Amino acid sequence: MDKWIGGIFLVVLFLAGCQTGESGEDERSVEMLEGRWEGSIEVPGQPLGIIIHMDKQEEWKGTISIPAQNVEDFVLSDITAGGEEVAFTMPVPGQSIQFHGQLTNGELAGTFTQEGQSYRFQMQKKEAAPEEVGEFLSIETDSATLYGELMMPEGLEQAPVALLIPGSGPTDRNGNSQGVQGRNDSLKMLAGKLAQSGIASVRYDKRGAGKNREAVMDNQNMRFEVFVHDASQWIDKLSRDDRFTKTAVIGHSQGSLVGMMAAEGHAVDAYVSLAGAGQPIDRVLEAQLEESLTEELYEESLDVLEKLRNGEDIGSVSPPLQSLFASDLQPFLRSWMSYNPSAQLRELDMPVLLVNGTHDIQIPVEEAERLKEAAPESELLLVEGMNHVLKEAPEDREGNLETYADPELPLPETLTEPLITFLQTNGF
């Protein structure tokens, strides 16, 4: 049950948009349901804590958080409230995840169903949680307002700034990906290290996560270029702010390609790739999937990727591959696959640092070496023992993945000190 929200762990999961509904509701049911609810799904032997927020304006809006699986403010759909009956859905591609319950005496209880398995859930209404602290900036995109958290060095009114771009999927500004059990807080820690060295930072939640959870786009219309445009607008925002003397872009994983594309032609003084691929994502996926799939499913995934490259119709895929290759995700994958990071890196005219961990089980060292070959004047930093979430980790897969859920594990100094030295050497 600990993997219930996701399909394939190491690859992209892009969330569907939110379509809500309503039927037969009255003022009493609205008043009863609105607000914050806390409780659990009674999975045998391991109850799963959940938090739900419900709000009724012109239509119902709702979110669910599952702290144990690092799901934060996941947008719900198909919300209905009539009398004492309540129902809603988690719109995860390729899965059917539904809640059906009843409201009685301040309690919401009923049945949680996923892929034919059902468990009881039970919740109580609670006081609203306190508002987030911190300073937040915003940008206006064509489809939504996006928010990012500013961390200024203590006591400084002016400083150089780094834009931190998170990786694939619904990843928050702290570097935590929803659906992965636990959190690592890698980007939050990096922001703190930068601040201690006199460098400000802005880090933002991806669309569908954290404060930008409602900025999701319909999967059929979502393209990789949306992420690039978002990052470009953040760069422009920072370059116009008099508090910031220089601007660096630091992109992690998928954010590496997003960052290098956004930095081209903009007012950027340095670029850093953290665990970024050096070849198109379909080639990276081939290696990742070989590690996580049976031989039969892997052969099927290779056929699907080849059809995506050629623009051919894929048709239906096996259920275990739905979370990656569902029909409504294919346009986004095709757009992402069309970019070669090595070719994009050659277009940058600024100091470049390429970083990879030797124990990264998602993006191996060879990917950073490909980028170095494409841009010989760049600096290459290989951090011994570091994994994909920028933590020191054992080489074995199980032990490596355990660090993905350890927010107390610090970033290695063999990462932070050379990275900060690179920035300082280039005027930060």
Side-chain angles (χ1 to χ4, degrees):
M1 184 62 183
D2 60 340
K3 295 182 180 178
W4 66 275
I5 190 172
I8 301 167
F9 169 65
L10 296 179
V11 293
V12 63
L13 168 64
F14 197 81
L15 306 179
C18 175
Q19 300 294 327
T20 58
E22 54 188 286
S23 64
E25 60 191 30
D26 53 32
E27 291 184 6
R28 180 173 175 272
S29 62
V30 169
E31 182 180 355
M32 290 172 61
L33 183 58
E34 278 191 315
R36 174 186 173 95
W37 296 82
E38 296 182 13
S40 63
I41 302 171
E42 301 302 322
V43 182
Q46 51 174 26
L48 197 62
I50 56 176
I51 302 167
I52 289 174
H53 290 87
M54 292 291 187
D55 179 51
K56 178 66 190 299
Q57 297 176 12
E58 293 183 2
E59 60 182 14
W60 277 109
K61 291 188 175 182
T63 63
I64 184 170
S65 298
I66 309 171
Q69 296 202 338
N70 195 40
V71 177
E72 181 181 359
D73 296 328
F74 187 107
V75 178
L76 300 171
S77 66
D78 303 320
I79 303 171
T80 60
E84 296 180 347
E85 300 294 325
V86 177
F88 48 90
T89 299
M90 290 186 68
V92 176
Q95 296 192 42
S96 175
I97 302 178
Q98 299 178 334
F99 291 76
H100 293 274
Q102 288 190 322
L103 278 168
T104 55
N105 300 322
E107 181 177 278
L108 175 58
T111 302
F112 161 85
T113 303
Q114 180 190 10
E115 300 303 307
Q117 293 186 317
S118 296
Y119 304 94
R120 179 173 172 77
F121 75 90
Q122 190 167 351
M123 313 189 74
Q124 289 76 41
K125 200 165 188 179
K126 302 289 184 178
E127 293 293 327
E131 290 292 325
E132 290 183 276
V133 296
E135 182 177 352
F136 287 86
L137 308 180
S138 66
I139 59 171
E140 296 294 334
T141 73
D142 293 340
S143 59
T145 301
L146 300 181
Y147 299 92
E149 185 171 358
L150 170 64
M151 185 179 291
M152 285 289 290
E154 188 174 354
L156 294 184
E157 294 183 359
Q158 273 195 326
V161 65
L163 178 66
L164 306 185
I165 305 176
S168 62
T171 304
D172 68 20
R173 63 187 180 275
N174 297 328
N176 304 316
S177 220
Q178 296 192 31
V180 179
Q181 187 158 346
R183 58 190 178 89
N184 61 77
D185 284 348
S186 56
L187 296 186
K188 181 179 181 181
M189 291 180 180
L190 180 56
K193 288 290 186 181
L194 292 171
Q196 291 172 16
S197 300
I199 301 172
S201 65
V202 171
R203 62 192 199 278
Y204 61 95
D205 305 294
K206 292 280 291 296
R207 291 171 179 262
K211 288 182 72 67
N212 297 328
R213 58 186 174 271
E214 295 187 9
V216 291
M217 296 181 64
D218 181 84
N219 287 342
Q220 291 287 358
N221 296 316
M222 184 62 196
R223 299 294 184 273
F224 189 79
E225 293 80 6
V226 173
F227 293 146
V228 176
H229 190 252
D230 290 345
S232 297
Q233 287 193 251
W234 279 113
I235 293 170
D236 290 341
K237 172 89 173 181
L238 300 182
S239 67
R240 294 192 302 268
D241 194 317
D242 292 338
R243 290 176 293 181
F244 308 130
T245 57
K246 283 183 175 290
T247 303
V249 171
I250 303 177
H252 177 249
S253 191
Q254 183 194 71
S256 168
L257 177 57
V258 171
M260 66 177 73
M261 292 176 65
E264 182 186 353
H266 287 79
V268 175
D269 302 291
Y271 167 75
V272 178
S273 168
L274 297 177
Q279 57 184 330
I281 190 60
D282 52 308
R283 300 301 181 185
V284 178
L285 285 175
E286 288 180 358
Q288 289 185 350
L289 294 174
E290 187 174 17
E291 294 290 325
S292 59
L293 296 178
T294 64
E295 183 177 352
E296 183 178 357
L297 286 172
Y298 178 60
E299 290 299 322
E300 181 182 352
S301 71
L302 292 181
D303 180 62
V304 170
L305 287 170
E306 186 62 24
K307 288 180 177 178
L308 281 171
R309 291 186 197 105
N310 297 331
E312 300 174 17
D313 179 47
I314 292 175
S316 60
V317 298
S318 298
L321 300 180
Q322 276 290 319
S323 61
L324 178 61
F325 296 126
S327 59
D328 61 344
L329 297 177
Q330 292 169 22
F332 174 77
L333 273 176
R334 281 196 173 98
S335 69
W336 188 2
M337 289 165 52
S338 68
Y339 295 104
N340 184 336
S342 291
Q344 296 295 325
L345 187 62
R346 294 189 192 101
E347 302 299 318
L348 295 188
D349 183 20
M350 64 193 68
V352 172
L353 175 65
L354 308 170
V355 182
N356 220 100
T358 63
H359 288 178
D360 192 325
I361 59 175
Q362 294 180 236
I363 302 294
V365 164
E366 291 76 14
E367 296 299 318
E369 291 173 339
R370 284 189 175 93
L371 292 172
K372 172 65 174 176
E373 185 177 352
E377 295 183 0
S378 63
E379 296 184 34
L380 176 62
L381 172 63
L382 300 181
V383 183
E384 186 64 34
M386 188 179 77
N387 69 359
H388 194 66
V389 295
L390 314 181
K391 303 294 182 76
E392 289 184 343
E395 198 168 5
D396 69 280
R397 186 180 183 85
E398 182 177 352
N400 196 301
L401 292 177
E402 286 179 0
T403 68
Y404 285 55
D406 189 353
E408 301 301 319
L409 191 64
L411 302 182
E413 292 183 358
T414 46
L415 163 68
T416 56
E417 290 183 0
L419 191 158
I420 290 169
T421 296
F422 165 79
L423 293 174
Q424 292 175 338
T425 300
N426 288 288
F428 281 74

